Amino acid sequence: MGDTLNIPEWTYYADKGGLDPLGMQNSSVALYQRLIPGIGNVTLRMRYYGLYPWLVRHYLQTNGSTDPEVWRVFLRRAEALYALIANQAGGELGVAGTVWAIRAVTAAKTGGGSIPIDFGAAAAPGSDDHYFAQSWGVFGLAYQSQLYEIGILSRGDGHGIPLPSKESGMALADGFEFAMGEAAQIFKDVHARGLVTLTELDALSPFAPSQIAFGSAERNVYQRVLFRKSADGDAPDSFRTQTLLLVLKVAEILGSPPDAEELRWALYAGQTQDGYPLELGDAALIAHCERWRIYQANDLCHVALEALLRFVLDALGAEPAGIPPRQLLERLVADMREASGAAPQNWRLLLDGIELADNAGDRAQPDSEWSLADDIMRTARRANGFVDGETAFKAVRLLAALHKRSLKESWPLEAELGPFTNDAFHSLLSERAFLRRYESHDFWELIARLVEERVIRRHLAVAMRKLRQQKDYTFLIESQNGRLRRRKQDGPVYTNPRLQPAITFLKDIHILGGQGLTSHGVEALAAA
């Protein structure tokens, strides 16, 4: 059953848990990074995309030092002040430093508001009362890489200080400055001082993330940046634009902004839960929707296998002294066999007998991919849940549904997942190839092989690689003296494909509103 791992009692190791325990989530991450570049999972508000080029230009005009420490202090002060502004403006979400800002503003109000808030001290690197722990603030943690990728900032020649790009960066800096009006100079003065009063924070309310004006030049530049057109249909700008247009298409049908979950299911099923089809028309948009369909299918694939891993872990939990691998597999297969009723002779016959749901995202159809995945997650994600043979067999049925639908609809898996299928990446493409390889074998022999090779052995191999390469101890299962023991519990998770921040951005710039598309949204869709 592979390598035996013995950790001496005196040896220290970092316990990092079972993140991506089967090495399959990375293919989903690699795919969604292609599909929506320039927006990240922790780039939470659009207005930061205007704030940073404006700050960079102000820094270059008033200081210009290429010393990274000087730039870091300037940057952290600005972020701390911005957190105070956002909190004072009404506790706006998605801003770094909110917890510190609430504490600082509350203390100032308790003191009668006469004592200024020393945000300069909170922004100083190494401060005991820091606004944000990350050394380079939320700029370094989240926004910097995306601002470079989307073309708002460019890299300085021979130094690490960013520059506003000549087109988008300078346009955003101009639009932001104009939108702030007199508040722009107040910000600059307060920032230089490192102290701010509550009255000054009120005067700085135009800076708040929600205050992008509906008809402003600033808003128009944000839209041009997000929906930038490229002659190359496979360019990052084109992929981001197509993803945002798909969001608008779904919002148009729903009559309201979608959340990330209903969006990803609508793109996978090609229709809303209520059965309203996505009528895309444009060939590039149809192809991009298919990429998102493959992303979602890939996510469902690793969720199914991670549910089988949870099935293994729950069974091992009843054996604190461990159990021989062959005995474990026999027990797991017996549990699934009992729960499944009459199973076909082989995988090929299972596929032949499956009736795919007309709407894969219909929650009312018990055999839809949505229903199978939801049933699995409801059990496998609960801390006190227990994955039994019935839930494990639902994971097998989900794999079968993905396999059959990919064949029926001729998904271009090789084109989309081929680059992410190797020793370091596993995907729906690699798992479908495995199932096809053994599709004529005895059904339960295949299931035993699936659990052993694609779950147990793979987890041990992935965890061993992390231990060797990253010095991270992520074993959920330990193999010792010919017995397997559970070391830690874990369960399946979806990856997070940046869709919720994208939806928030579209709300921030008034393309999405309460009724779905605003007039700006209608124009953006019509211009596609």
Side-chain angles (χ1 to χ4, degrees):
M1 182 52 73
D3 295 321
T4 297
L5 183 72
N6 295 306
I7 301 294
E9 292 183 5
W10 47 263
T11 300
Y12 169 80
Y13 59 85
D15 184 352
K16 295 294 184 72
L19 297 176
D20 199 5
L22 298 178
M24 294 193 67
Q25 296 171 26
N26 52 12
S27 57
S28 287
V29 172
L31 188 53
Y32 76 60
Q33 286 176 339
R34 285 183 63 230
L35 300 185
I36 185 166
I39 299 173
N41 278 321
V42 284
T43 57
L44 302 181
R45 299 304 295 266
M46 183 83 248
R47 211 164 202 188
Y48 274 113
Y49 283 50
L51 173 67
Y52 285 122
W54 179 76
L55 284 173
V56 169
R57 187 173 71 176
H58 174 50
Y59 175 80
L60 296 173
Q61 291 172 341
T62 58
N63 188 306
S65 170
T66 57
D67 182 346
E69 286 304 306
V70 176
W71 162 238
R72 180 161 69 127
V73 171
F74 181 96
L75 176 69
R76 287 179 62 85
R77 274 196 176 196
E79 288 189 357
L81 177 56
Y82 198 65
L84 292 169
I85 294 168
N87 180 73
Q88 183 71 352
E92 298 204 16
L93 301 177
V95 176
T98 295
V99 173
W100 166 81
I102 292 172
R103 189 170 65 246
V105 169
T106 300
K109 289 179 178 178
T110 301
S114 59
I115 301 176
I117 299 171
D118 188 355
F119 67 89
S127 169
D128 291 335
D129 186 32
H130 57 74
Y131 80 100
F132 197 67
Q134 173 72 21
S135 176
W136 282 92
V138 73
F139 176 77
L141 175 68
Y143 286 89
Q144 178 176 222
S145 61
Q146 304 302 333
L147 291 171
Y148 283 133
E149 183 169 29
I150 206 170
I152 291 173
L153 295 182
S154 58
R155 300 183 187 279
D157 185 15
H159 59 79
I161 311 304
L163 304 173
S165 65
K166 292 181 180 180
E167 183 181 348
S168 299
M170 293 302 290
L172 279 170
D174 288 340
F176 191 88
E177 175 99 21
F178 184 80
M180 296 308 104
E182 296 179 357
Q185 189 58 51
I186 298 174
F187 186 102
K188 294 173 183 177
D189 294 340
V190 168
H191 176 272
R193 194 167 67 234
L195 300 169
V196 64
T197 65
L198 295 180
T199 300
E200 288 170 324
L201 288 179
D202 289 334
L204 290 168
S205 62
F207 275 78
S210 64
Q211 294 304 302
I212 301 171
F214 188 88
S216 66
E218 178 197 13
R219 192 217 69 83
N220 294 341
V221 180
Y222 290 133
Q223 180 170 333
R224 288 202 302 272
V225 169
L226 289 180
F227 289 85
R228 184 181 289 126
K229 293 185 178 180
S230 173
D232 181 359
D234 292 333
D237 285 342
S238 295
F239 274 20
R240 180 182 60 256
T241 296
Q242 290 162 11
T243 293
L244 296 176
L245 290 173
L246 288 171
V247 176
L248 300 189
K249 282 286 189 179
V250 174
E252 182 182 42
I253 295 170
L254 295 177
S256 62
D259 62 35
E261 183 182 21
E262 63 185 336
L263 176 60
R264 62 196 285 170
W265 276 107
L267 298 181
Y268 176 72
Q271 57 189 305
T272 66
Q273 183 199 338
D274 294 330
Y276 293 100
L278 300 185
E279 297 177 350
L280 302 178
D282 180 70
L285 211 52
I286 292 171
H288 202 62
C289 185
E290 190 160 67
R291 295 185 188 102
W292 276 107
R293 181 173 297 120
I294 290 172
Y295 158 77
Q296 176 72 350
N298 197 62
D299 236 31
L300 292 172
C301 178
H302 76 69
V303 159
L305 289 173
E306 287 167 15
L308 291 177
L309 175 61
R310 174 66 186 263
F311 181 43
V312 172
L313 294 173
D314 283 343
L316 289 175
E319 301 287 345
I323 183 173
R326 186 52 50 196
Q327 185 178 338
L328 173 66
L329 288 171
E330 289 172 354
R331 182 179 302 176
L332 296 174
V333 168
D335 288 347
M336 280 193 280
R337 186 195 290 266
E338 181 180 355
S340 68
Q345 290 182 333
N346 56 49
W347 186 259
R348 185 187 304 156
L349 292 175
L350 176 67
L351 296 186
D352 290 342
I354 285 178
E355 291 291 337
L356 292 174
D358 293 334
N359 184 350
D362 187 353
R363 306 178 186 193
Q365 296 189 50
D367 289 328
S368 71
E369 285 95 310
W370 190 96
S371 294
L372 289 171
D374 188 61
D375 286 348
I376 291 166
M377 295 296 279
R378 284 179 183 275
T379 300
R381 284 306 302 168
R382 291 204 315 266
N384 61 346
F386 185 84
V387 173
D388 56 12
E390 181 181 1
T391 302
F393 195 70
K394 284 183 179 179
V396 172
R397 287 168 55 200
L398 178 57
L399 286 174
L402 295 170
H403 189 171
K404 182 165 184 174
R405 195 177 293 276
S406 71
L407 296 174
K408 180 182 178 182
E409 299 179 4
S410 301
W411 292 346
L413 295 186
E414 186 68 46
E416 299 303 327
L417 294 173
F420 311 128
T421 302
N422 51 49
D423 289 342
F425 289 87
H426 305 285
S427 68
L428 175 59
L429 180 61
S430 63
E431 304 318 288
R432 190 180 71 169
F434 170 85
L435 292 168
R436 294 181 77 169
R437 191 179 312 133
Y438 299 105
E439 64 180 5
S440 61
H441 288 221
D442 177 81
F443 182 78
W444 291 112
E445 288 182 6
L446 167 59
I447 298 305
R449 185 186 290 269
L450 176 74
V451 174
E452 180 180 13
E453 295 185 15
R454 316 308 272 190
V455 177
I456 299 174
R457 286 185 180 274
R458 177 175 289 168
H459 170 66
L460 292 174
V462 167
M464 181 60 71
R465 184 168 65 244
K466 290 180 182 178
L467 182 64
R468 288 170 174 164
Q469 296 178 358
Q470 305 169 21
K471 310 304 179 187
D472 289 343
Y473 193 87
T474 60
F475 286 85
L476 303 174
I477 300 170
E478 292 177 336
S479 175
Q480 190 171 23
N481 298 327
R483 303 176 78 86
L484 296 177
R485 291 185 296 111
R486 184 179 79 181
R487 186 183 167 276
K488 192 175 181 181
Q489 188 60 283
D490 199 14
V493 295
Y494 289 109
T495 57
N496 190 356
R498 304 177 173 181
L499 292 176
Q500 194 58 55
I503 293 166
T504 300
F505 279 18
L506 295 175
K507 292 178 180 178
D508 281 348
I509 63 172
H510 308 291
I511 285 181
L512 290 180
Q515 302 303 310
L517 302 185
T518 66
S519 58
H520 289 310
V522 172
E523 291 172 4
L525 204 51

